[in-house]
């Protein structure tokens, strides 16, 4: 995944992420804070902060938050949010998730929410998280996941691999900067391989209406139609994962978000 494509896509749609209900108010935000139980003396890094919603959720509970992202326009939105909320302990930094410009063992908490599916090299990102965390520090990850035996039981490995590839193609059709959503088991394996201990994993389903989801990334009518066809004509495993349904004439589906909490 090209990082300049990410900056182009998110730079053009930064304000949509500032107001997006999924990002600003999604269930994973409150759940993340509940699970992490932040402490008043903590130094926090939020990676790929987007419009800053996760950084802003932690800011009232900790000493200091660095909200980092690769896209300047997103950090403009974060600064606007921090000013509106009156946070004096939130600063922004331009940072690539795979080469973090921070010292070793600097942070008590590193968070990253709904972004890692854009990163080309997820093991390198998690290794960087491990490097900048203090011993005993917490890694809090939220990301959309692809189907595997944990999220979508009852299908063969081959059917799930096929459904995972189709799901990622569905995401990529809507957003060219989409890289790959990992399955939950794969996430736990990558985090464990980086030397962190997984303490908790959860799946939170989130209902999405197809049309606004597609237009948030400027999908045109033809693309939205192709997305609709992919949903309606998917394999049984894909449909079991995405749960397409009609509600008051609108096509809806469900994305699964995983929360993983790990300790260094
Ligand atoms: C959906 S937004 C993040 C949402 C935000 N974390 C929240 O909780 O609302 C995805 C963000 O990932 C950022 N991003 C993508 N690739 C990145 C990378 N390699 N390093 C840092 N940020 C990246 C994009 O610029 C974008 O702002």
């Amino acid at each position: 995944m090209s990082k300049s494509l990410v900056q182009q896509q998110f730079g053009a749609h930064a304000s949509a992420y500032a107001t997006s209900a999924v990002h600003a108010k999604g269930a994973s935000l409150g759940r993340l804070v509940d699970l992490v139980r932040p402490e008043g003396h903590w130094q926090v890094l939020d990676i790929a902060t987007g419009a800053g919603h996760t950084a802003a959720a932690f800011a009232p509970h900790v000493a200091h938050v660095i909200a980092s992202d690769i896209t300047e326009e997103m950090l403009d939105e974060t600064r606007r949010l921090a000013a509106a909320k009156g946070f004096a302990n939130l600063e922004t930094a331009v940072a690539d998730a795979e080469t973090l410009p921070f010292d070793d063992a600097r942070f008590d908490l590193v968070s990253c929410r709904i972004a890692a599916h854009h990163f080309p090299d997820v093991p390198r990102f998690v290794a960087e998280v491990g490097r900048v965390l203090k011993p005993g520090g917490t890694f809090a990850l939220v990301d959309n996941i692809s189907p595997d035996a944990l999220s979508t039981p009852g299908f063969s490995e081959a059917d799930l691999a096929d459904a995972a590839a189709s799901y990622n193609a569905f995401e990529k059709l809507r957003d060219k900067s989409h890289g790959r959503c990992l399955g939950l088991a794969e996430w736990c394996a990558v985090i464990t391989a980086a030397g962190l201990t997984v303490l908790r994993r959860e799946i939170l389903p989130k209902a999405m209406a197809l049309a606004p989801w597609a237009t948030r990334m400027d999908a045109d009518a033809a693309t939205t139609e192709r997305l609709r066809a992919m949903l309606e004509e998917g394999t049984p495993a894909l449909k079991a994962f995405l749960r397409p349904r009609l509600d008051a004439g609108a096509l809806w589906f469900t994305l699964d978000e995983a929360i993983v909490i790990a300790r260094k």
Side-chain angles (χ1 to χ4, degrees), residues 3 6-7 10 17 22-24 29 46-55 68-71 74 95-98 112-115 117-120:
K3 289 175 184 168
V6 163
Q7 289 163 312
F10 283 98
Y17 279 86
V22 168
H23 296 85
L29 204 49
D46 186 42
I47 295 177
T49 198
H53 302 299
T54 302
S68 68
D69 202 283
I70 204 173
T71 307
M74 283 299 208
D96 182 336
E98 295 170 4
C112 183
R113 175 171 172 261
I114 331 181
H117 54 270
H118 296 288
F119 306 163

PDB file of all heavy atoms in Angstrom, residues 3 6-7 10 17 22-24 29 46-55 68-71 74 95-98 112-115 117-120, ligand 1:
ATOM      1  N   LYS A   3       2.007   4.855   0.739  1.00  0.00           N
ATOM      2  CA  LYS A   3       1.699   5.794   1.815  1.00  0.00           C
ATOM      3  C   LYS A   3       1.238   7.133   1.244  1.00  0.00           C
ATOM      4  O   LYS A   3       0.455   7.845   1.851  1.00  0.00           O
ATOM      5  CB  LYS A   3       2.900   5.940   2.735  1.00  0.00           C
ATOM      6  CG  LYS A   3       3.081   4.665   3.549  1.00  0.00           C
ATOM      7  CD  LYS A   3       4.298   4.623   4.417  1.00  0.00           C
ATOM      8  CE  LYS A   3       4.377   3.264   5.083  1.00  0.00           C
ATOM      9  NZ  LYS A   3       5.641   2.989   5.720  1.00  0.00           N
ATOM     10  N   VAL A   6      -2.399   6.896   0.763  1.00  0.00           N
ATOM     11  CA  VAL A   6      -3.076   7.093   2.052  1.00  0.00           C
ATOM     12  C   VAL A   6      -3.220   8.587   2.337  1.00  0.00           C
ATOM     13  O   VAL A   6      -4.308   9.082   2.670  1.00  0.00           O
ATOM     14  CB  VAL A   6      -2.275   6.422   3.198  1.00  0.00           C
ATOM     15  CG1 VAL A   6      -2.704   6.943   4.561  1.00  0.00           C
ATOM     16  CG2 VAL A   6      -2.423   4.908   3.141  1.00  0.00           C
ATOM     17  N   GLN A   7      -2.114   9.340   2.162  1.00  0.00           N
ATOM     18  CA  GLN A   7      -2.153  10.782   2.475  1.00  0.00           C
ATOM     19  C   GLN A   7      -3.129  11.506   1.538  1.00  0.00           C
ATOM     20  O   GLN A   7      -3.864  12.392   1.981  1.00  0.00           O
ATOM     21  CB  GLN A   7      -0.744  11.379   2.354  1.00  0.00           C
ATOM     22  CG  GLN A   7       0.158  10.911   3.485  1.00  0.00           C
ATOM     23  CD  GLN A   7       1.625  11.122   3.189  1.00  0.00           C
ATOM     24  OE1 GLN A   7       2.115  10.780   2.112  1.00  0.00           O
ATOM     25  NE2 GLN A   7       2.347  11.690   4.139  1.00  0.00           N
ATOM     26  N   PHE A  10      -6.837  10.341   2.630  1.00  0.00           N
ATOM     27  CA  PHE A  10      -7.279  10.893   3.913  1.00  0.00           C
ATOM     28  C   PHE A  10      -7.175  12.413   3.933  1.00  0.00           C
ATOM     29  O   PHE A  10      -7.980  13.081   4.581  1.00  0.00           O
ATOM     30  CB  PHE A  10      -6.527  10.253   5.076  1.00  0.00           C
ATOM     31  CG  PHE A  10      -7.053   8.890   5.382  1.00  0.00           C
ATOM     32  CD1 PHE A  10      -6.427   7.757   4.895  1.00  0.00           C
ATOM     33  CD2 PHE A  10      -8.228   8.736   6.113  1.00  0.00           C
ATOM     34  CE1 PHE A  10      -6.933   6.493   5.147  1.00  0.00           C
ATOM     35  CE2 PHE A  10      -8.754   7.483   6.367  1.00  0.00           C
ATOM     36  CZ  PHE A  10      -8.094   6.356   5.880  1.00  0.00           C
ATOM     37  N   TYR A  17     -14.026  12.497   8.401  1.00  0.00           N
ATOM     38  CA  TYR A  17     -13.657  11.653   9.550  1.00  0.00           C
ATOM     39  C   TYR A  17     -13.853  12.397  10.873  1.00  0.00           C
ATOM     40  O   TYR A  17     -14.075  11.772  11.906  1.00  0.00           O
ATOM     41  CB  TYR A  17     -12.217  11.142   9.390  1.00  0.00           C
ATOM     42  CG  TYR A  17     -12.203   9.952   8.465  1.00  0.00           C
ATOM     43  CD1 TYR A  17     -12.127  10.116   7.099  1.00  0.00           C
ATOM     44  CD2 TYR A  17     -12.362   8.666   8.966  1.00  0.00           C
ATOM     45  CE1 TYR A  17     -12.181   9.041   6.236  1.00  0.00           C
ATOM     46  CE2 TYR A  17     -12.409   7.578   8.118  1.00  0.00           C
ATOM     47  CZ  TYR A  17     -12.322   7.773   6.749  1.00  0.00           C
ATOM     48  OH  TYR A  17     -12.390   6.699   5.914  1.00  0.00           O
ATOM     49  N   VAL A  22     -19.080   6.631  13.233  1.00  0.00           N
ATOM     50  CA  VAL A  22     -18.311   5.421  13.544  1.00  0.00           C
ATOM     51  C   VAL A  22     -17.008   5.785  14.246  1.00  0.00           C
ATOM     52  O   VAL A  22     -16.577   5.124  15.190  1.00  0.00           O
ATOM     53  CB  VAL A  22     -17.994   4.639  12.247  1.00  0.00           C
ATOM     54  CG1 VAL A  22     -16.963   3.550  12.487  1.00  0.00           C
ATOM     55  CG2 VAL A  22     -19.269   4.074  11.656  1.00  0.00           C
ATOM     56  N   HIS A  23     -16.373   6.868  13.781  1.00  0.00           N
ATOM     57  CA  HIS A  23     -15.084   7.249  14.351  1.00  0.00           C
ATOM     58  C   HIS A  23     -15.239   8.087  15.618  1.00  0.00           C
ATOM     59  O   HIS A  23     -14.537   7.883  16.599  1.00  0.00           O
ATOM     60  CB  HIS A  23     -14.240   7.985  13.293  1.00  0.00           C
ATOM     61  CG  HIS A  23     -13.913   7.100  12.141  1.00  0.00           C
ATOM     62  ND1 HIS A  23     -14.772   6.926  11.084  1.00  0.00           N
ATOM     63  CD2 HIS A  23     -12.877   6.263  11.914  1.00  0.00           C
ATOM     64  CE1 HIS A  23     -14.261   6.049  10.245  1.00  0.00           C
ATOM     65  NE2 HIS A  23     -13.103   5.627  10.722  1.00  0.00           N
ATOM     66  N   ALA A  24     -16.209   9.032  15.594  1.00  0.00           N
ATOM     67  CA  ALA A  24     -16.351   9.951  16.721  1.00  0.00           C
ATOM     68  C   ALA A  24     -17.072   9.317  17.904  1.00  0.00           C
ATOM     69  O   ALA A  24     -16.798   9.659  19.045  1.00  0.00           O
ATOM     70  CB  ALA A  24     -17.100  11.203  16.276  1.00  0.00           C
ATOM     71  N   LEU A  29     -14.792   3.006  21.081  1.00  0.00           N
ATOM     72  CA  LEU A  29     -14.063   4.103  21.747  1.00  0.00           C
ATOM     73  C   LEU A  29     -14.228   4.006  23.274  1.00  0.00           C
ATOM     74  O   LEU A  29     -13.244   3.961  24.012  1.00  0.00           O
ATOM     75  CB  LEU A  29     -14.631   5.426  21.223  1.00  0.00           C
ATOM     76  CG  LEU A  29     -13.771   6.668  21.270  1.00  0.00           C
ATOM     77  CD1 LEU A  29     -12.390   6.425  20.708  1.00  0.00           C
ATOM     78  CD2 LEU A  29     -14.470   7.790  20.506  1.00  0.00           C
ATOM     79  N   ASP A  46      -1.060   7.945  20.507  1.00  0.00           N
ATOM     80  CA  ASP A  46      -2.112   7.409  19.651  1.00  0.00           C
ATOM     81  C   ASP A  46      -1.596   7.436  18.215  1.00  0.00           C
ATOM     82  O   ASP A  46      -1.275   8.498  17.687  1.00  0.00           O
ATOM     83  CB  ASP A  46      -3.399   8.229  19.790  1.00  0.00           C
ATOM     84  CG  ASP A  46      -4.547   7.602  19.007  1.00  0.00           C
ATOM     85  OD1 ASP A  46      -4.680   6.359  19.044  1.00  0.00           O
ATOM     86  OD2 ASP A  46      -5.294   8.342  18.344  1.00  0.00           O
ATOM     87  N   ILE A  47      -1.490   6.258  17.618  1.00  0.00           N
ATOM     88  CA  ILE A  47      -0.935   6.131  16.261  1.00  0.00           C
ATOM     89  C   ILE A  47      -2.066   6.179  15.241  1.00  0.00           C
ATOM     90  O   ILE A  47      -3.121   5.584  15.454  1.00  0.00           O
ATOM     91  CB  ILE A  47      -0.162   4.798  16.138  1.00  0.00           C
ATOM     92  CG1 ILE A  47       1.056   4.809  17.069  1.00  0.00           C
ATOM     93  CG2 ILE A  47       0.250   4.539  14.694  1.00  0.00           C
ATOM     94  CD1 ILE A  47       1.849   3.507  17.062  1.00  0.00           C
ATOM     95  N   ALA A  48      -1.816   6.876  14.119  1.00  0.00           N
ATOM     96  CA  ALA A  48      -2.827   7.019  13.053  1.00  0.00           C
ATOM     97  C   ALA A  48      -4.120   7.565  13.661  1.00  0.00           C
ATOM     98  O   ALA A  48      -5.189   7.004  13.525  1.00  0.00           O
ATOM     99  CB  ALA A  48      -3.053   5.696  12.328  1.00  0.00           C
ATOM    100  N   THR A  49      -3.972   8.697  14.293  1.00  0.00           N
ATOM    101  CA  THR A  49      -5.048   9.278  15.103  1.00  0.00           C
ATOM    102  C   THR A  49      -6.213   9.783  14.276  1.00  0.00           C
ATOM    103  O   THR A  49      -7.301  10.004  14.797  1.00  0.00           O
ATOM    104  CB  THR A  49      -4.453  10.412  15.983  1.00  0.00           C
ATOM    105  OG1 THR A  49      -5.339  10.700  17.049  1.00  0.00           O
ATOM    106  CG2 THR A  49      -4.189  11.682  15.172  1.00  0.00           C
ATOM    107  N   GLY A  50      -6.001   9.991  12.970  1.00  0.00           N
ATOM    108  CA  GLY A  50      -7.081  10.507  12.127  1.00  0.00           C
ATOM    109  C   GLY A  50      -7.521  11.868  12.646  1.00  0.00           C
ATOM    110  O   GLY A  50      -6.698  12.760  12.891  1.00  0.00           O
ATOM    111  N   ALA A  51      -8.831  12.025  12.876  1.00  0.00           N
ATOM    112  CA  ALA A  51      -9.346  13.305  13.375  1.00  0.00           C
ATOM    113  C   ALA A  51      -9.202  13.407  14.894  1.00  0.00           C
ATOM    114  O   ALA A  51      -9.733  14.331  15.510  1.00  0.00           O
ATOM    115  CB  ALA A  51     -10.792  13.478  12.947  1.00  0.00           C
ATOM    116  N   GLY A  52      -8.517  12.451  15.513  1.00  0.00           N
ATOM    117  CA  GLY A  52      -8.128  12.588  16.924  1.00  0.00           C
ATOM    118  C   GLY A  52      -9.114  12.044  17.942  1.00  0.00           C
ATOM    119  O   GLY A  52      -8.966  12.290  19.143  1.00  0.00           O
ATOM    120  N   HIS A  53     -10.100  11.264  17.501  1.00  0.00           N
ATOM    121  CA  HIS A  53     -11.139  10.841  18.442  1.00  0.00           C
ATOM    122  C   HIS A  53     -10.604   9.940  19.559  1.00  0.00           C
ATOM    123  O   HIS A  53     -11.024  10.055  20.716  1.00  0.00           O
ATOM    124  CB  HIS A  53     -12.276  10.130  17.697  1.00  0.00           C
ATOM    125  CG  HIS A  53     -12.907  10.993  16.646  1.00  0.00           C
ATOM    126  ND1 HIS A  53     -13.532  12.187  16.935  1.00  0.00           N
ATOM    127  CD2 HIS A  53     -12.975  10.868  15.292  1.00  0.00           C
ATOM    128  CE1 HIS A  53     -13.975  12.745  15.815  1.00  0.00           C
ATOM    129  NE2 HIS A  53     -13.638  11.966  14.808  1.00  0.00           N
ATOM    130  N   THR A  54      -9.674   9.049  19.239  1.00  0.00           N
ATOM    131  CA  THR A  54      -9.156   8.139  20.270  1.00  0.00           C
ATOM    132  C   THR A  54      -8.230   8.903  21.221  1.00  0.00           C
ATOM    133  O   THR A  54      -8.305   8.730  22.448  1.00  0.00           O
ATOM    134  CB  THR A  54      -8.435   6.955  19.605  1.00  0.00           C
ATOM    135  OG1 THR A  54      -9.377   6.299  18.741  1.00  0.00           O
ATOM    136  CG2 THR A  54      -7.920   5.965  20.633  1.00  0.00           C
ATOM    137  N   ALA A  55      -7.394   9.766  20.657  1.00  0.00           N
ATOM    138  CA  ALA A  55      -6.523  10.600  21.513  1.00  0.00           C
ATOM    139  C   ALA A  55      -7.374  11.432  22.463  1.00  0.00           C
ATOM    140  O   ALA A  55      -7.057  11.561  23.655  1.00  0.00           O
ATOM    141  CB  ALA A  55      -5.660  11.503  20.622  1.00  0.00           C
ATOM    142  N   SER A  68      -0.616  11.087  16.722  1.00  0.00           N
ATOM    143  CA  SER A  68       0.268  11.080  15.555  1.00  0.00           C
ATOM    144  C   SER A  68      -0.441  10.516  14.330  1.00  0.00           C
ATOM    145  O   SER A  68      -1.359   9.700  14.439  1.00  0.00           O
ATOM    146  CB  SER A  68       1.525  10.259  15.862  1.00  0.00           C
ATOM    147  OG  SER A  68       1.199   8.898  16.005  1.00  0.00           O
ATOM    148  N   ASP A  69       0.009  10.972  13.178  1.00  0.00           N
ATOM    149  CA  ASP A  69      -0.576  10.498  11.918  1.00  0.00           C
ATOM    150  C   ASP A  69       0.380  10.847  10.793  1.00  0.00           C
ATOM    151  O   ASP A  69       1.248  11.712  10.946  1.00  0.00           O
ATOM    152  CB  ASP A  69      -1.943  11.167  11.677  1.00  0.00           C
ATOM    153  CG  ASP A  69      -2.830  10.376  10.726  1.00  0.00           C
ATOM    154  OD1 ASP A  69      -2.592  10.428   9.490  1.00  0.00           O
ATOM    155  OD2 ASP A  69      -3.745   9.688  11.196  1.00  0.00           O
ATOM    156  N   ILE A  70       0.188  10.168   9.669  1.00  0.00           N
ATOM    157  CA  ILE A  70       1.031  10.439   8.506  1.00  0.00           C
ATOM    158  C   ILE A  70       0.435  11.550   7.639  1.00  0.00           C
ATOM    159  O   ILE A  70       1.118  12.086   6.760  1.00  0.00           O
ATOM    160  CB  ILE A  70       1.223   9.125   7.702  1.00  0.00           C
ATOM    161  CG1 ILE A  70       2.493   9.160   6.873  1.00  0.00           C
ATOM    162  CG2 ILE A  70       0.024   8.799   6.860  1.00  0.00           C
ATOM    163  CD1 ILE A  70       2.801   7.831   6.193  1.00  0.00           C
ATOM    164  N   THR A  71      -0.832  11.914   7.891  1.00  0.00           N
ATOM    165  CA  THR A  71      -1.540  12.874   7.026  1.00  0.00           C
ATOM    166  C   THR A  71      -1.747  14.196   7.770  1.00  0.00           C
ATOM    167  O   THR A  71      -2.467  14.255   8.763  1.00  0.00           O
ATOM    168  CB  THR A  71      -2.917  12.303   6.605  1.00  0.00           C
ATOM    169  OG1 THR A  71      -2.722  11.009   6.039  1.00  0.00           O
ATOM    170  CG2 THR A  71      -3.608  13.187   5.580  1.00  0.00           C
ATOM    171  N   MET A  74      -5.297  15.492   8.535  1.00  0.00           N
ATOM    172  CA  MET A  74      -5.960  14.829   9.654  1.00  0.00           C
ATOM    173  C   MET A  74      -5.521  15.474  10.969  1.00  0.00           C
ATOM    174  O   MET A  74      -6.332  15.670  11.875  1.00  0.00           O
ATOM    175  CB  MET A  74      -5.627  13.332   9.657  1.00  0.00           C
ATOM    176  CG  MET A  74      -6.399  12.554   8.625  1.00  0.00           C
ATOM    177  SD  MET A  74      -8.173  12.686   8.936  1.00  0.00           S
ATOM    178  CE  MET A  74      -8.753  11.163   8.255  1.00  0.00           C
ATOM    179  N   ALA A  95       3.907  11.237  12.077  1.00  0.00           N
ATOM    180  CA  ALA A  95       4.684  10.018  12.316  1.00  0.00           C
ATOM    181  C   ALA A  95       4.135   8.881  11.478  1.00  0.00           C
ATOM    182  O   ALA A  95       2.918   8.674  11.409  1.00  0.00           O
ATOM    183  CB  ALA A  95       4.638   9.637  13.794  1.00  0.00           C
ATOM    184  N   ASP A  96       5.041   8.147  10.850  1.00  0.00           N
ATOM    185  CA  ASP A  96       4.677   6.917  10.148  1.00  0.00           C
ATOM    186  C   ASP A  96       4.644   5.791  11.182  1.00  0.00           C
ATOM    187  O   ASP A  96       5.609   5.617  11.943  1.00  0.00           O
ATOM    188  CB  ASP A  96       5.744   6.647   9.075  1.00  0.00           C
ATOM    189  CG  ASP A  96       5.444   5.413   8.242  1.00  0.00           C
ATOM    190  OD1 ASP A  96       4.708   4.512   8.713  1.00  0.00           O
ATOM    191  OD2 ASP A  96       5.962   5.344   7.107  1.00  0.00           O
ATOM    192  N   ALA A  97       3.565   5.029  11.177  1.00  0.00           N
ATOM    193  CA  ALA A  97       3.379   3.956  12.172  1.00  0.00           C
ATOM    194  C   ALA A  97       4.511   2.929  12.149  1.00  0.00           C
ATOM    195  O   ALA A  97       4.747   2.243  13.146  1.00  0.00           O
ATOM    196  CB  ALA A  97       2.053   3.251  11.903  1.00  0.00           C
ATOM    197  N   GLU A  98       5.204   2.830  11.013  1.00  0.00           N
ATOM    198  CA  GLU A  98       6.231   1.785  10.889  1.00  0.00           C
ATOM    199  C   GLU A  98       7.629   2.285  11.228  1.00  0.00           C
ATOM    200  O   GLU A  98       8.568   1.478  11.304  1.00  0.00           O
ATOM    201  CB  GLU A  98       6.202   1.215   9.473  1.00  0.00           C
ATOM    202  CG  GLU A  98       4.894   0.502   9.186  1.00  0.00           C
ATOM    203  CD  GLU A  98       4.742   0.137   7.726  1.00  0.00           C
ATOM    204  OE1 GLU A  98       5.673   0.359   6.938  1.00  0.00           O
ATOM    205  OE2 GLU A  98       3.655  -0.364   7.380  1.00  0.00           O
ATOM    206  N   CYS A 112      -4.036   2.436  18.822  1.00  0.00           N
ATOM    207  CA  CYS A 112      -4.178   2.568  17.370  1.00  0.00           C
ATOM    208  C   CYS A 112      -5.548   2.013  17.008  1.00  0.00           C
ATOM    209  O   CYS A 112      -5.811   0.829  17.209  1.00  0.00           O
ATOM    210  CB  CYS A 112      -3.066   1.807  16.644  1.00  0.00           C
ATOM    211  SG  CYS A 112      -3.148   2.006  14.840  1.00  0.00           S
ATOM    212  N   ARG A 113      -6.440   2.887  16.514  1.00  0.00           N
ATOM    213  CA  ARG A 113      -7.839   2.476  16.305  1.00  0.00           C
ATOM    214  C   ARG A 113      -8.259   2.681  14.850  1.00  0.00           C
ATOM    215  O   ARG A 113      -8.100   3.796  14.311  1.00  0.00           O
ATOM    216  CB  ARG A 113      -8.740   3.277  17.264  1.00  0.00           C
ATOM    217  CG  ARG A 113     -10.219   3.049  17.075  1.00  0.00           C
ATOM    218  CD  ARG A 113     -11.019   3.694  18.193  1.00  0.00           C
ATOM    219  NE  ARG A 113     -12.430   3.647  17.920  1.00  0.00           N
ATOM    220  CZ  ARG A 113     -13.148   4.654  17.413  1.00  0.00           C
ATOM    221  NH1 ARG A 113     -12.574   5.802  17.128  1.00  0.00           N
ATOM    222  NH2 ARG A 113     -14.435   4.512  17.199  1.00  0.00           N
ATOM    223  N   ILE A 114      -8.776   1.646  14.261  1.00  0.00           N
ATOM    224  CA  ILE A 114      -9.346   1.645  12.892  1.00  0.00           C
ATOM    225  C   ILE A 114      -8.381   2.251  11.877  1.00  0.00           C
ATOM    226  O   ILE A 114      -8.738   3.156  11.112  1.00  0.00           O
ATOM    227  CB  ILE A 114     -10.725   2.350  12.804  1.00  0.00           C
ATOM    228  CG1 ILE A 114     -11.531   2.279  14.105  1.00  0.00           C
ATOM    229  CG2 ILE A 114     -11.553   1.725  11.687  1.00  0.00           C
ATOM    230  CD1 ILE A 114     -12.907   2.956  14.025  1.00  0.00           C
ATOM    231  N   ALA A 115      -7.158   1.779  11.856  1.00  0.00           N
ATOM    232  CA  ALA A 115      -6.165   2.343  10.942  1.00  0.00           C
ATOM    233  C   ALA A 115      -5.158   1.313  10.427  1.00  0.00           C
ATOM    234  O   ALA A 115      -4.641   1.462   9.316  1.00  0.00           O
ATOM    235  CB  ALA A 115      -5.407   3.461  11.643  1.00  0.00           C
ATOM    236  N   HIS A 117      -5.229  -1.407   9.074  1.00  0.00           N
ATOM    237  CA  HIS A 117      -5.467  -2.072   7.778  1.00  0.00           C
ATOM    238  C   HIS A 117      -4.897  -1.251   6.616  1.00  0.00           C
ATOM    239  O   HIS A 117      -4.925  -1.714   5.476  1.00  0.00           O
ATOM    240  CB  HIS A 117      -6.972  -2.348   7.578  1.00  0.00           C
ATOM    241  CG  HIS A 117      -7.846  -1.149   7.735  1.00  0.00           C
ATOM    242  ND1 HIS A 117      -8.393  -0.784   8.938  1.00  0.00           N
ATOM    243  CD2 HIS A 117      -8.242  -0.214   6.847  1.00  0.00           C
ATOM    244  CE1 HIS A 117      -9.114   0.323   8.783  1.00  0.00           C
ATOM    245  NE2 HIS A 117      -9.032   0.690   7.511  1.00  0.00           N
ATOM    246  N   HIS A 118      -4.389  -0.054   6.898  1.00  0.00           N
ATOM    247  CA  HIS A 118      -3.711   0.739   5.854  1.00  0.00           C
ATOM    248  C   HIS A 118      -2.205   0.504   5.862  1.00  0.00           C
ATOM    249  O   HIS A 118      -1.520   0.955   4.943  1.00  0.00           O
ATOM    250  CB  HIS A 118      -3.960   2.238   6.072  1.00  0.00           C
ATOM    251  CG  HIS A 118      -5.384   2.631   5.931  1.00  0.00           C
ATOM    252  ND1 HIS A 118      -6.032   2.678   4.713  1.00  0.00           N
ATOM    253  CD2 HIS A 118      -6.305   2.970   6.853  1.00  0.00           C
ATOM    254  CE1 HIS A 118      -7.293   3.043   4.899  1.00  0.00           C
ATOM    255  NE2 HIS A 118      -7.482   3.221   6.189  1.00  0.00           N
ATOM    256  N   PHE A 119      -1.667  -0.102   6.904  1.00  0.00           N
ATOM    257  CA  PHE A 119      -0.216  -0.190   7.039  1.00  0.00           C
ATOM    258  C   PHE A 119       0.328  -1.334   6.174  1.00  0.00           C
ATOM    259  O   PHE A 119      -0.124  -2.477   6.289  1.00  0.00           O
ATOM    260  CB  PHE A 119       0.194  -0.428   8.500  1.00  0.00           C
ATOM    261  CG  PHE A 119      -0.347   0.574   9.500  1.00  0.00           C
ATOM    262  CD1 PHE A 119      -0.345   0.278  10.857  1.00  0.00           C
ATOM    263  CD2 PHE A 119      -0.841   1.814   9.088  1.00  0.00           C
ATOM    264  CE1 PHE A 119      -0.834   1.196  11.789  1.00  0.00           C
ATOM    265  CE2 PHE A 119      -1.336   2.738  10.013  1.00  0.00           C
ATOM    266  CZ  PHE A 119      -1.339   2.420  11.370  1.00  0.00           C
ATOM    267  N   PRO A 120       1.351  -1.058   5.362  1.00  0.00           N
ATOM    268  CA  PRO A 120       1.894  -2.106   4.500  1.00  0.00           C
ATOM    269  C   PRO A 120       2.567  -3.243   5.273  1.00  0.00           C
ATOM    270  O   PRO A 120       2.561  -4.371   4.832  1.00  0.00           O
ATOM    271  CB  PRO A 120       2.926  -1.380   3.633  1.00  0.00           C
ATOM    272  CG  PRO A 120       2.646   0.075   3.789  1.00  0.00           C
ATOM    273  CD  PRO A 120       1.938   0.266   5.093  1.00  0.00           C
TER     274      PRO A 120
HETATM  275  C1  LIG B   1      -9.753   5.875   9.759  1.00  0.00           C
HETATM  276  S1  LIG B   1      -8.501   6.965  10.165  1.00  0.00           S
HETATM  277  C2  LIG B   1      -8.161   6.653  11.872  1.00  0.00           C
HETATM  278  C3  LIG B   1      -9.291   6.820  12.813  1.00  0.00           C
HETATM  279  C4  LIG B   1      -8.895   7.231  14.213  1.00  0.00           C
HETATM  280  N1  LIG B   1      -7.802   6.440  14.757  1.00  0.00           N
HETATM  281  C5  LIG B   1     -10.091   7.195  15.154  1.00  0.00           C
HETATM  282  O1  LIG B   1     -10.055   6.498  16.178  1.00  0.00           O
HETATM  283  O2  LIG B   1     -11.085   7.892  14.826  1.00  0.00           O
HETATM  284  C6  LIG B   1      -7.051   6.186   9.470  1.00  0.00           C
HETATM  285  C7  LIG B   1      -5.811   7.057   9.633  1.00  0.00           C
HETATM  286  O3  LIG B   1      -4.657   6.253   9.409  1.00  0.00           O
HETATM  287  C8  LIG B   1      -3.653   7.115   8.941  1.00  0.00           C
HETATM  288  N2  LIG B   1      -2.549   6.292   8.409  1.00  0.00           N
HETATM  289  C9  LIG B   1      -2.596   5.420   7.383  1.00  0.00           C
HETATM  290  N3  LIG B   1      -1.378   4.857   7.188  1.00  0.00           N
HETATM  291  C10 LIG B   1      -0.555   5.364   8.141  1.00  0.00           C
HETATM  292  C11 LIG B   1       0.807   5.149   8.486  1.00  0.00           C
HETATM  293  N4  LIG B   1       1.586   4.293   7.797  1.00  0.00           N
HETATM  294  N5  LIG B   1       1.313   5.806   9.552  1.00  0.00           N
HETATM  295  C12 LIG B   1       0.535   6.673  10.257  1.00  0.00           C
HETATM  296  N6  LIG B   1      -0.763   6.938   9.969  1.00  0.00           N
HETATM  297  C13 LIG B   1      -1.305   6.289   8.925  1.00  0.00           C
HETATM  298  C14 LIG B   1      -4.388   7.951   7.902  1.00  0.00           C
HETATM  299  O4  LIG B   1      -3.704   9.117   7.575  1.00  0.00           O
HETATM  300  C15 LIG B   1      -5.716   8.207   8.634  1.00  0.00           C
HETATM  301  O5  LIG B   1      -5.691   9.432   9.312  1.00  0.00           O
END
